[in-house]
Amino acid sequence: MLELLNIKIEVERLSNILTKAEGCLDLTELSARIEELNQLISQAAFWHNSATFYQILEEIEFLNATKKQYQRSHFILEDIKAALELLELSADEELLLEAQTNLTQLQQELETVEIEQLLSSPCDQKGAFLTITAGVGGADAQYWAYMLLRMYSKWGESNSYKILLVEESCGDLAGIKSASLEIIGRYAYGYLKSETGTHQLEQISPFDAANSLRTSLASVEVIPILDESIDFEIPEKDLEITFYRHRGNVNRTETWVKMVHIPTGISVSCNQERSQLQNKEKALAILKSKLFALALAQGVQIDKNQRRQIKALSNKLIREYILHPYTKVKDLRTNVETLVATEVLDGKIDLFIKAYLQQLYLTTSEDKKVLDNFK
């Protein structure tokens, strides 16, 4: 009976999550939007505008997937409730096992829904540019930066995001000095904004014959990818652009581009596109996104003479990864920790993301209450 009671309590919790999510989403409006977009793409003229049809097709795919997810969750939920009613009348081990299996599946599906309820900021649904920069410490720090690059790539792949390497600067002996990823897909920025800051690793140095314990640092910066609805121009006089041809491989035609925003000193690089023009365009897109994100976070108007007020994102130490003499990963903002460091480094960082978003949501809610009371 205790087991049935626990299942009932969890079913009630999941039912509330689903109801709340549907209230925010409005499935009627969602269905109407799908119908509207389907009518739009049925028109011959739609396919002539290459600038927008990919974006609309992506929206249709997302809305259809969302609708199917809620329908599937409802079906599983009703199936569990029906099983519980039967189990109250008569014990049935096979039916109980089926109910528990369905409950586990529903928990996994609504985990994502629960997190997405916390993503309400204007840029949360956008894709993300993620940049990793090795701290001081030579090969150890550069290898740590590479480990983080691998961790975020694994996370993106496991969540079905499209991952593109925008820029990579190789380390002197191993690893990377810096690298930038373009992570394409809904909510990429909303999830990964939790990762901005400095990440610290403690491990036995693989580059030291004495097997000494080393502390390495690497910074992570995450910004949303701007779309066509949010755009602004950067005057040419504010840009310093440097081009470098790749040396040592005559078969490689890529051109490395570095772009500096002179008023703020903020710089970006791109070396993975096939042409100089493509690298320049990508670098400009990243720079615009970075300036917009920083200005938005700091309340600075970038279209006025206030550009010098824009500062870099925080480099505050946010997370510690310990691989020796024991294994542990601890987030210093939320105090969430785990002993399975190898799994975290394989991309399983959702526990840290969820805890950060919950803390951010609670903090924002408390601030709003204070403002409301003040009014």
Side-chain angles (χ1 to χ4, degrees), residues 172-216:
D172 298 321
L173 295 176
I176 56 170
K177 294 179 180 177
S178 66
S180 295
L181 296 175
E182 183 177 6
I183 304 172
I184 302 171
R186 285 181 182 266
Y187 292 112
Y189 174 71
Y191 285 115
L192 291 173
K193 65 184 181 182
S194 63
E195 301 304 294
T196 292
T198 298
H199 298 243
Q200 176 178 292
L201 172 70
E202 290 185 23
Q203 71 166 354
I204 297 295
S205 173
F207 307 101
D208 187 349
N211 292 326
S212 58
L213 184 64
R214 292 288 180 88
T215 298
S216 302

Side-chain angles (χ1 to χ4, degrees), residues 221 264 266 290-291 293-295 297-298 300 306-314:
E221 181 184 70
T264 62
I266 293 172
K290 182 175 289 193
L291 288 172
L294 295 175
Q298 298 165 31
V300 176
Q306 296 176 311
R307 296 184 179 90
R308 295 183 186 277
Q309 296 179 22
I310 301 177
K311 301 175 182 178
L313 292 173
S314 172

Side-chain angles (χ1 to χ4, degrees), residues 42 81 102 192 229 237 260:
S42 66
K81 288 180 178 179
N102 285 337
L192 291 173
S229 64
K237 64 182 180 63
V260 179

Side-chain angles (χ1 to χ4, degrees), residues 15-37:
S15 180
N16 289 336
I17 292 173
L18 192 57
T19 301
K20 182 180 177 182
E22 288 178 343
C24 296
L25 185 65
D26 194 331
L27 291 178
T28 302
E29 287 187 8
L30 184 146
S31 297
R33 177 61 176 167
I34 292 174
E35 179 62 27
E36 178 188 346
L37 294 176

Side-chain angles (χ1 to χ4, degrees), residues 320-322 326-331 335-344 348-349 351-352:
E320 294 177 334
Y321 306 70
I322 300 172
Y326 53 88
T327 61
K328 184 176 79 170
V329 181
K330 180 177 181 179
D331 194 289
N335 290 322
V336 169
E337 60 182 62
T338 177
L339 300 180
V340 286
T342 53
E343 290 188 4
V344 173
K348 295 182 179 178
I349 59 174
L351 75 162
F352 299 114

Side-chain angles (χ1 to χ4, degrees), residues 251-266:
N251 296 318
R252 183 174 175 182
T253 59
E254 291 95 336
T255 302
W256 184 78
V257 174
K258 180 179 181 181
M259 188 172 292
V260 179
H261 183 244
I262 298 172
T264 62
I266 293 172

Side-chain angles (χ1 to χ4, degrees), residues 120-133:
S120 58
S121 296
C123 293
D124 282 346
Q125 290 194 26
K126 298 185 184 300
F129 289 118
L130 184 148
T131 300
I132 302 165
T133 306

Side-chain angles (χ1 to χ4, degrees), residues 16 25 38 59-60 87 110 125 138 229 248-249 299-300 340 371:
N16 289 336
L25 185 65
N38 282 330
E59 183 179 357
I60 292 175
L87 287 168
L110 293 187
Q125 290 194 26
S229 64
N249 185 349
V300 176
V340 286
L371 288 174

